[in-house]
Amino acid sequence: MSFHWLVLLAAIAVEIVATTALKSAVSTSWLAGTLPLLLIGLSFILLSIALRVIPMAVAYAVWEGLGIVGIALIGHVLFGEHLTAARAAGLAAILAGILLIENGVGHERSEDHGRLV
């Protein structure tokens, strides 16, 4: 796995932690509420590093899609949020969409060179 993919996975992990912290920070002081915002900023910085190599459509789909799946699972485990069959099917569809987008990379024609990239 390349450096940029590892950075993308780190961005996803930070986003999941930030969103989880945001859920907890709702009932705390404004100072504690700034931590999730700082973490979200860090996640965007890491995403921007990954975008240097990974195509934007793929990086964003993986970042957001795995973030959604991770948050749904954490919501279920830590906060007792219901994971119904319909929600599980939706999460599976998100994962399938990520795979479809990722597998399509490298098979399109480059507009500049007219060759496969």
Side-chain angles (χ1 to χ4, degrees):
M1 183 169 288
S2 76
F3 168 77
H4 289 89
W5 278 99
L6 292 174
V7 170
L8 181 58
L9 292 177
I12 295 163
V14 171
E15 180 199 14
I16 291 170
V17 169
T19 306
T20 304
L22 189 62
K23 170 89 172 173
S24 299
V26 170
S27 60
T28 62
S29 71
W30 68 270
L31 185 59
T34 59
L35 176 63
L37 299 176
L38 294 172
L39 289 172
I40 289 170
L42 176 59
S43 179
F44 271 99
I45 291 168
L46 292 169
L47 175 62
S48 71
I49 293 169
L51 285 172
R52 294 177 184 168
V53 172
I54 302 170
M56 183 172 54
V58 173
Y60 187 75
V62 171
W63 179 72
E64 195 62 37
L66 291 182
I68 290 169
V69 171
I71 286 300
L73 295 176
I74 286 177
H76 176 67
V77 171
L78 295 182
F79 300 109
E81 296 174 357
H82 297 290
L83 187 59
T84 64
R87 288 182 182 172
L91 295 174
I94 290 170
L95 292 174
I98 291 170
L99 291 174
L100 288 171
I101 290 171
E102 196 278 327
N103 285 330
V105 171
H107 302 291
E108 66 272 0
R109 293 205 174 265
S110 170
E111 293 179 17
D112 297 332
H113 304 292
R115 61 180 170 78
L116 290 178
V117 288

